[in-house]
Amino acid sequence: MLRNVRALPAAILVAVVLIVAVAGGATAAKLITGAQIKNGTVTTQDVRNDTLTTQDVRNQSLTGGDVKDGSVSGVDLANGSVRGADLAADARNQAKVAVGTNTFVPSCAGQQLVECEPLVDMPLTAGTWLVSATLTVNNIHGQPTSDDNRCGLLELDALLGYASHALGPNNTPNEGETLAFTQVVTATQPTGVTVRCTEQPGEALRAISATVSAVKVS
């Protein structure tokens, strides 16, 4: 009986120590808040991998500067979540069409077509474009035209492609001819394409529905 009475204070002491330890941990947890942590002191090494979730990030708080360049790929994006409006203007697929007026071809004998006046032109932004051009050349003169005549598609002063034509006089089966050009244009800075034709002195050629179409592919 006396042995149990003497052991009682030790048991009480152990119980008190346990209560203090538990209460102390709870108190410490309550005392440490975000206000006690200096800004910028918590780093990646202090955060356990995969412990942060979407709920831990404030809406619209992350910007492009928080994402490493090249780290986001197609598998990180939901199908159909990126639309044309989400892309920069020069990154979107673009389609353009330019149509010239039906007009007489200005006299020009230059075979490279650089010095000839454009029948239709189109400015292009930097990138890769698939360019197509068509026009019909009509001879309204009473005489056949020169075999040296040609029409072509140019990028600035560079001839991309051309087609020669020799037309018979008006009211004959060969009085008109439709020409078409297709070319891939790749430019690192803004550029432009034009359609131009030659005409020898004394001829009267007419360009009908000269049209340039371009689709940006990258």
Side-chain angles (χ1 to χ4, degrees), residues 93-201:
N93 283 346
Q94 302 176 50
K96 306 176 69 174
V97 177
V99 181
T101 60
N102 294 340
T103 183
F104 286 104
V105 176
S107 294
C108 177
Q111 291 298 295
Q112 295 304 311
L113 299 170
V114 174
E115 61 268 37
C116 302
E117 294 184 27
L119 300 173
V120 61
D121 56 18
M122 174 184 290
L124 300 176
T125 59
T128 300
W129 296 80
L130 178 61
V131 180
S132 299
T134 60
L135 80 158
T136 297
V137 183
N138 184 263
N139 176 24
I140 65 172
H141 201 281
Q143 300 296 326
T145 62
S146 171
D147 293 341
D148 293 331
N149 281 330
R150 60 172 59 182
C151 295
L153 176 67
L154 294 86
E155 179 190 2
L156 300 180
D157 291 338
L159 181 61
L160 301 177
Y162 71 90
S164 299
H165 62 83
L167 303 178
N170 200 27
N171 298 319
T172 68
N174 296 319
E175 68 181 17
E177 186 172 354
T178 299
L179 309 174
F181 312 94
T182 300
Q183 187 74 35
V184 174
V185 175
T186 300
T188 58
Q189 58 186 1
T191 185
V193 292
T194 60
V195 172
R196 309 182 187 212
C197 292
T198 62
E199 181 185 81
Q200 310 305 315

Side-chain angles (χ1 to χ4, degrees), residues 11 19 33 39-40 61 63 71 81 100 102 110 120 127 133 138 144 158 171 173 177 193-194 201-202 210 212 218:
I19 293 173
T33 66
N39 291 341
S61 64
T63 66
S71 63
S81 62
N102 294 340
V120 61
N138 184 263
N171 298 319
E177 186 172 354
V193 292
T194 60
V212 174
S218 66

